[in-house]
């Protein structure tokens, strides 16, 4: 797998029935290692170990609906109140973060209503703070640590 612009960590990989699997410490099981999963696992590690996001407040591939279609979010972070505070959309390192990617995340967020939206391909990371009253997305220079996220709610 490709080296990412995220901190390295001691991941666990195993091989079974011709497939590579990576251990997901949030779901506590091995999952198929795809290029997108590689990015997601590194990003989760970054949030938990470097920005102090409680792993108990992370939900992976949680279902949502949009226009009566079932969709899955890559990663949703909940605040201590139980409401979504950050939506994270992960792409494989070879996938460019484009206007279509931004639109996909913002469409999902219309239903979820998280205050922060993050897009990452493991090499580039974009974060916006959403104001639902003015319908504006304010770009942020950094992904806020969990302590700041909770303060701004």
């Amino acid at each position: 797998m490709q080296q990412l612009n995220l901190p390295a960590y001691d991941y666990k990989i195993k091989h079974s029935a011709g497939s590579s699997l990576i251990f997901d410490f949030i779901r506590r099981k091995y999952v198929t290692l795809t290029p997108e999963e590689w990015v997601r696992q590194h990003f989760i590690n970054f949030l938990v170990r470097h920005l102090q996001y409680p792993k108990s407040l992370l939900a992976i591939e949680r279902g949502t609906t949009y226009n009566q279609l079932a969709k899955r979010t890559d990663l949703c972070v909940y605040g201590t109140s139980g409401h979504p505070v950050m939506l994270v959309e992960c792409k494989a390192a070879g996938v460019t973060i484009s206007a279509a990617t931004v639109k996909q995340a913002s469409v999902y967020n219309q239903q979820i209503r998280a205050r922060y939206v993050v897009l990452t391909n493991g090499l580039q990371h974009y974060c916006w703070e959403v104001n639902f009253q003015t319908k504006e997305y304010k770009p942020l220079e950094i992904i806020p640590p969990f302590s700041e996220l909770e303060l701004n709610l």
Side-chain angles (χ1 to χ4, degrees), residues 88-131:
V88 180
E89 182 66 28
C90 299
K91 297 295 180 189
V95 175
T96 303
I97 304 290
S98 65
T101 313
V102 175
K103 183 177 179 181
Q104 175 188 5
S106 61
V107 163
Y108 286 0
N109 201 40
Q110 288 175 8
Q111 184 69 28
I112 294 166
R113 300 190 64 80
R115 183 164 181 180
Y116 298 91
V117 175
V118 175
L119 299 176
T120 183
N121 63 5
L123 303 173
Q124 296 176 301
H125 322 289
Y126 300 96
C127 183
W128 293 271
E129 184 174 5
V130 181
N131 183 324

Side-chain angles (χ1 to χ4, degrees), residues 23-38:
F23 188 75
D24 179 335
F25 71 95
I26 301 298
R27 293 180 275 188
R28 291 183 236 144
K29 67 179 184 177
Y30 281 90
V31 296
T32 302
L33 178 57
T34 63
E36 183 177 308
E37 192 64 46
W38 179 250

